[in-house]
Amino acid sequence: RRQLERRFRLATGHSPLEALQQLRLDHALELLKDTNLPLEDVSAACGFSDVKHLRRVIRKATGKHPLAWRTEAGQATSAPARSTRLS
């Protein structure tokens, strides 16, 4: 297991857990932008333990509450998007 983790980190620059968390965040942001699903459904669809956890992760990544991010993501703007990469 440890060897797999080391090789994964060497190949991607991230641990397997960090990569999984990033995929879950990306999927949640995509669902928020492209659907009108309630946060509870987005949270469940992306594997978050609850809505509170989803809110914390999105706020940390974007600096915005999920519903505020959804509103802004749905509007066409010329401003560059803020990075949503987890640190």
Side-chain angles (χ1 to χ4, degrees):
R1 174 180 172 205
R2 183 70 187 131
Q3 184 175 5
L4 173 64
E5 290 176 7
R6 274 195 304 265
R7 287 183 178 184
F8 189 92
R9 185 177 294 276
L10 281 172
T12 66
H14 302 284
S15 73
L17 179 59
E18 291 167 338
L20 177 61
Q21 290 171 334
Q22 186 63 52
L23 287 171
R24 288 172 43 207
L25 171 63
D26 291 345
H27 186 54
L29 293 175
E30 183 178 322
L31 287 176
L32 285 173
K33 184 179 79 164
D34 297 339
T35 72
N36 289 322
L37 289 173
L39 288 179
E40 292 80 9
D41 293 349
V42 172
S43 176
C46 298
F48 289 94
S49 55
D50 55 34
V51 175
K52 192 174 178 180
H53 184 214
L54 172 67
R55 283 189 189 117
R56 276 194 312 266
V57 169
I58 291 177
R59 184 167 294 198
K60 181 179 179 185
T62 68
K64 298 180 183 346
H65 184 279
L67 297 180
W69 187 90
R70 171 184 265 170
T71 301
E72 289 182 19
Q75 299 172 355
T77 63
S78 58
R82 180 175 175 180
S83 172
T84 57
R85 290 285 167 212
L86 295 173
S87 356

